[in-house]
Amino acid sequence: MSNINLQCLLGIQCNDFVMIAADQTNSHSIMVMKDDEEKIYTISDKLVMGVVGDSGDTTQFAEYIAKNIQLYKMRNGYELGPTAAANFTRRNLAEYLRSSTPYFVNILLGGYDKENGPELYFMDYLASSVRVPFAAHGFGGFLSLSIMDRYHKKDLTEEQAYEILKMCVKEVHKRLFVSLPNFQVTVVNREGIKVLPVIDSSAMK
C-alpha cells in the first residue's frame, strides 16, 4: 500500500515569488526510514518541483523531467517557462498513466517567468493540472488549506509566507496522526532559487 497521502506538500504563490514546502519523512510500511529526505527537486534555474509518492517513482520521474527540460534548453538555446514545463510534465504523467508502468506521484511545480511572474501548478497522479494561488497534497494538506485560504494575499512578503507555512506545519504536528517532524522550504523569485531554513519543532518556539 502506498503512503502517498501520509506525505505532505504545501505551496504558496504571491506577486513576487513562489514558496514550496515538503515534509522530509521517508517511511516504509510502519517504519520511518529517514527524516531528511529531499523531496523538492531543482528542474532549472527558476523552476522547482515538489514531489511526493513512492520513493522510486518520485526520484525517477523528477530526474526524467529535469533532464528532458535541460535537453530542450541545449537543443533550442532557451529554457521552458513554468507553463510549458507544467504542460510537458502533465503530458508525461498522462502517457505513463495509460501504460503498464504509471508513476504514482503528486506534484507541486513552481517557477518564475520574466513575463508572467511567479506561477504555481498543482498536479496529481491522475495527471490533472491546474494553476493555483496556493495548494497542498496529502492528509496534511487537508489541515493546511483552510489556513492558507484565510491568510493568503497576493502582496505577501517572503517572511509572511514563511510564517503561514509555519502555521500550517504547526497544525500538521498538532492534529495529524503521523509524525512529519521536518519540512524543507524552497522559494523561487526573479533572482532564482533559494533554500530557506527547515521548519521543525524548534522553529515553532
Side-chain angles (χ1 to χ4, degrees):
M1 177 183 169
S2 174
N3 60 359
I4 191 168
N5 283 318
L6 302 182
Q7 302 174 61
C8 185
L9 273 179
L10 307 169
I12 294 180
Q13 178 235 313
C14 298
N15 286 335
D16 301 319
F17 62 89
V18 173
M19 193 174 290
I20 294 177
D23 81 274
Q24 295 192 282
T25 301
N26 184 334
S27 60
H28 179 72
S29 182
I30 62 171
M31 289 182 293
V32 174
M33 309 306 286
K34 60 188 294 193
D35 61 4
D36 58 354
E37 179 89 354
E38 296 283 333
K39 296 182 183 178
I40 300 178
Y41 297 85
T42 299
I43 304 300
S44 63
D45 292 343
K46 295 183 181 178
L47 193 65
V48 297
M49 181 189 289
V51 190
V52 294
D54 295 335
S55 293
D57 282 5
T58 56
T59 304
Q60 187 170 336
F61 187 75
E63 289 181 354
Y64 173 78
I65 296 298
K67 301 306 180 192
N68 272 279
I69 287 177
Q70 290 302 317
L71 177 63
Y72 184 93
K73 180 183 178 182
M74 285 188 279
R75 281 177 171 170
N76 298 280
Y78 61 92
E79 289 185 339
L80 288 177
T83 303
N87 288 329
F88 174 73
T89 304
R90 189 253 164 209
R91 197 193 75 196
N92 275 280
L93 271 176
E95 287 176 353
Y96 278 106
L97 182 68
R98 289 156 179 81
S99 73
S100 59
T101 56
Y103 285 105
F104 198 47
V105 293
N106 287 337
I107 295 169
L108 289 182
L109 189 143
Y112 191 93
D113 184 73
K114 60 185 178 183
E115 293 180 2
N116 301 322
E119 298 178 28
L120 176 66
Y121 287 87
F122 173 101
M123 280 174 265
D124 67 9
Y125 69 97
L126 295 174
S128 65
S129 175
V130 61
R131 186 179 175 183
V132 287
F134 55 85
H137 279 297
F139 290 143
F142 297 159
L143 308 173
S144 305
L145 281 173
S146 59
I147 294 172
M148 289 192 277
D149 184 52
R150 169 69 180 81
Y151 293 105
H152 176 267
K153 296 184 181 69
K154 282 287 186 183
D155 59 352
L156 291 174
T157 64
E158 290 183 16
E159 291 76 17
Q160 290 170 326
Y162 187 77
E163 287 301 315
I164 292 174
L165 291 182
K166 281 173 67 174
M167 291 167 64
C168 294
V169 173
K170 186 175 182 180
E171 198 70 12
V172 170
H173 285 177
K174 181 180 178 182
R175 298 179 63 192
L176 192 64
F177 69 99
V178 182
S179 173
L180 301 175
N182 304 323
F183 279 72
Q184 64 180 129
V185 185
T186 301
V187 64
V188 187
N189 54 31
R190 62 167 54 89
E191 272 78 46
I193 298 166
K194 182 169 62 176
V195 177
L196 299 181
V198 171
I199 301 175
D200 54 20
S201 54
S202 63
M204 303 296 177
K205 297 174 182 176

